[in-house]
Amino acid sequence: MRAAILANVLLSALLTALPARSHDSWFHVSQPGPAPLLTLGTGQHYPVQETAIAPEYLDRQGCRPADEPGGERSMRPLGYEGSRALRLQATPGARSCWAQLVPLDVEVQP
């Protein structure tokens, strides 16, 4: 009896989670080089960027140059690549780049 209840609870939890979907945001290197051109977009199926992220939604962002350990430099927004991605100019010699978006409230219909 106890095993049956546990199995039903577990099955209910799994079925409840199935309709949940998510999206993610990521960079794409659209032009490699000493100061790469990056695009930042969001979508439901990587690597397809479906929606651009507006610059005002970047809470913090930057690149860490290889020649400056521990240093950070901001990227420069250059406009949009269609409606699917924000274009950003990385700093010269960037080893890694990152972005932190402002939190957004999302209401999901049942």
Side-chain angles (χ1 to χ4, degrees):
M1 176 79 166
R2 192 174 213 182
I5 293 172
L6 182 59
N8 282 334
V9 169
L10 183 60
L11 181 61
S12 295
L14 288 173
L15 291 175
T16 302
L18 288 178
R21 298 196 187 261
S22 181
H23 69 277
D24 223 344
S25 303
W26 58 88
F27 289 110
H28 171 74
V29 179
S30 63
Q31 183 180 359
L37 182 63
L38 306 175
T39 59
L40 177 61
T42 189
Q44 294 185 21
H45 303 286
Y46 178 84
V48 179
Q49 291 174 324
E50 298 171 330
T51 306
I53 296 170
E56 57 266 21
Y57 290 108
L58 295 174
D59 187 25
R60 297 175 40 209
Q61 52 85 6
C63 293
R64 291 180 177 90
D67 63 347
E68 218 179 294
E72 293 180 352
R73 296 185 193 156
S74 293
M75 291 181 280
R76 187 170 46 120
L78 298 176
Y80 296 98
E81 194 163 294
S83 62
R84 297 178 182 234
L86 173 65
R87 294 174 57 218
L88 296 159
Q89 182 72 59
T91 57
R95 179 177 46 184
S96 64
C97 296
W98 55 274
Q100 178 179 340
L101 304 178
V102 297
L104 297 173
D105 291 327
V106 177
E107 290 187 31
V108 178
Q109 296 296 323

